[in-house]
Amino acid sequence: MTQTYDYDVLFLGAGHGTFDGAGPLAASGKRVGVIESGLIGGTCPNRGCNAKITLDAPVTVQRAVERMQGVVSGKVGINWSELVAHKQAIIDPLSGNIAGKLTQSGADIIHGRGVLSDAHTITVDGQAYTSDKVVVATGLRPHRLDVPGDELAIDSSDFMNLRELPQRIAIMGSGYISMEFATIANAAGADVTVLMHGDKALRRFHQPFVEAVIDDLQSRGVTFVRNAGIRQLSRDDGDITVHYGDDATLAVDMVLDATGRIPNVEGIGLEAAGVTVTPHGIPVNDHLQTNVPSIYAAGDVIDKEQPRLTPTATFESYYLYQLFSGQMDAAIDYPPIPTVVYTSPRIAQVGVQPESAEAVGASVVHNHVPDDWYRQIDEQSIGDSLLVFDDDYHLVGVAEMSEQAEDAVNTLLPVVVFGYDRDQMWRMAHLFPSISASAWHKIR
């Protein structure tokens, strides 16, 4: 006798690991439920990418005006309280919009904290929902540094909701969040100190580019302390004191813990369902299936080599839509996933990186961005582009540091993903003049 379930697929979590595929899946006729205890859309739309890039927008304006002094006059200041209000106005509708699209597609939204009780059942506030398949897409949360007094620090969500920006800020860590928020806070007038765990920031990025960004931030007044060795945070006469190194201290108004993010795997019943978990998340096979055949995982909660980024989660979610709707049964085949850190200048990359070029028999072509006439329009003086080609002149990797690095890498992404040859490259006639035409010219 065939088991009858309430749903064909139940998603636990409502971020990009869910909604990019759950909507099309429901529209295809499958019975789909989405369980979420917080805002629909998860981290990226509500307290991550969208909010961050809104806070960054006036920084790019400020930098452009700064570069073009003489052509333009005056300076651009950032009104922090107005900026945060603007950010909130941008992101407030997003959760409702995503929820609306899910329900319009035919998916049910179940509000509450979901806990697996077996391989086919999730309980929400005492109500059990059964499903043929379950997708765990609970994402990541901010890591907390394990030192005395870390409760005095705020996390990235807290930072983006600050109505007033403190004058003296210490940031613990030197990854994406640390470097981006250091850029924003410094541009808004704060005194920023970045306390690095080791001697390198942004370890996954081309280090000469990273050091150039650090040099620029230092010239703007940001202090970097390498190998800080944070020992403790304490409250002293209204200040927060960071104790680091052997006996060094730093008195600040606010401490941001940006020491990373960890998977949300606790308290959701994975043990009860028999799902294997590691300190890095949930292991899956090449069909995103856990060790329990009916339970899958998507998004940042997966223990994987691919970067934990919105494009990765979106790709995985859509893959599961294709798999569950019967459109395909092949293993997931990840494309090259691009990544960018929104400092100013930005650092963006995709595919084979310059450090690995020799090992795979590839060559690297270097372009100094300020030599490009198009980048001279707004007086860009910092930046480099590294293009990695195989022996047949296929572009297999890009790394760029510039004010428009994300747009340049996005322009070249199809060449890397689909392996265009030189003739195919010439078939693309970009609008001119534009950043796309500028980037494309370098590869032909």
Side-chain angles (χ1 to χ4, degrees), residues 87 189 200 205:
K87 179 267 300 182
K200 294 180 180 180
F205 287 84

Side-chain angles (χ1 to χ4, degrees), residues 364-380:
V364 179
V365 175
H366 173 259
N367 293 291
H368 188 49
V369 165
D371 292 341
D372 182 347
W373 78 269
Y374 187 77
R375 310 295 186 100
Q376 294 169 10
I377 293 173
D378 62 347
E379 301 286 355
Q380 294 187 39

Side-chain angles (χ1 to χ4, degrees), residues 12-309:
L12 184 55
H16 275 284
T18 289
F19 69 79
D20 288 295
L25 186 61
S28 76
K30 296 293 184 181
R31 296 169 300 159
V32 174
V34 176
I35 300 170
E36 176 57 61
S37 61
L39 292 170
I40 301 299
T43 295
C44 189
N46 296 303
R47 54 188 180 274
C49 321
N50 301 51
K52 180 266 304 290
I53 201 63
T54 307
L55 293 178
D56 177 75
V59 181
T60 63
V61 175
Q62 187 184 71
R63 296 287 201 267
V65 171
E66 174 188 291
R67 291 193 304 273
M68 298 190 73
Q69 280 298 305
V71 177
V72 299
S73 301
K75 295 183 178 180
V76 173
I78 295 176
N79 184 321
W80 182 263
S81 60
E82 290 295 326
L83 174 57
V84 171
H86 171 62
K87 179 267 300 182
Q88 208 59 41
I90 296 296
I91 68 171
D92 274 347
L94 297 179
S95 181
N97 291 343
I98 295 167
K101 290 178 181 178
L102 282 171
T103 55
Q104 288 170 18
S105 71
D108 290 340
I109 296 178
I110 303 165
H111 292 282
R113 181 172 178 78
V115 179
L116 282 154
S117 50
D118 61 42
H120 294 277
T121 307
I122 300 178
T123 300
V124 182
D125 298 331
Q127 174 68 49
Y129 300 89
T130 62
S131 182
D132 181 31
K133 295 179 177 64
V134 170
V135 179
V136 180
T138 48
L140 303 172
R141 68 180 185 276
H143 171 268
R144 302 296 296 193
L145 191 64
D146 186 17
V147 297
D150 188 59
E151 70 277 1
L152 298 172
I154 67 170
D155 63 24
S156 56
S157 296
D158 298 324
F159 178 87
M160 289 188 286
N161 289 325
L162 289 170
R163 294 300 176 180
E164 294 184 5
L165 188 68
Q167 184 59 42
R168 302 171 299 166
I169 299 174
I171 303 179
M172 303 187 297
S174 54
Y176 288 85
I177 293 172
S178 171
M179 296 294 286
E180 290 172 345
F181 287 6
T183 300
I184 293 168
N186 167 258
D191 300 322
V192 180
T193 300
V194 177
L195 299 163
M196 300 168 57
H197 174 69
D199 61 350
K200 294 180 180 180
L202 299 167
R203 292 176 179 273
R204 290 178 176 267
F205 287 84
H206 185 56
Q207 283 301 300
F209 289 176
V210 174
E211 291 300 323
V213 168
I214 288 175
D215 287 346
D216 182 66
L217 284 171
Q218 286 178 323
S219 74
R220 298 174 182 278
V222 178
T223 300
F224 286 83
V225 180
R226 300 177 192 258
N227 301 297
I230 298 167
R231 296 181 287 108
Q232 180 182 352
L233 306 182
S234 63
R235 175 76 71 179
D236 301 289
D237 296 327
D239 293 338
I240 299 175
T241 300
V242 184
H243 304 259
Y244 66 96
D246 292 333
D247 57 3
T249 60
L250 174 68
V252 294
D253 303 307
M254 188 196 79
V255 177
L256 169 62
D257 188 334
T259 54
R261 295 176 65 81
I262 56 177
N264 286 314
V265 293
E266 300 89 353
I268 58 173
L270 295 175
E271 300 84 355
V275 176
T276 298
V277 177
T278 76
H280 305 291
I282 302 174
V284 295
N285 65 15
D286 59 8
H287 285 69
L288 303 186
Q289 190 175 36
T290 72
N291 63 299
V292 178
S294 61
I295 301 179
Y296 295 71
D300 292 350
V301 77
I302 296 177
D303 181 352
K304 59 189 173 186
E305 294 181 0
Q306 287 76 24
R308 286 182 163 115
L309 300 168

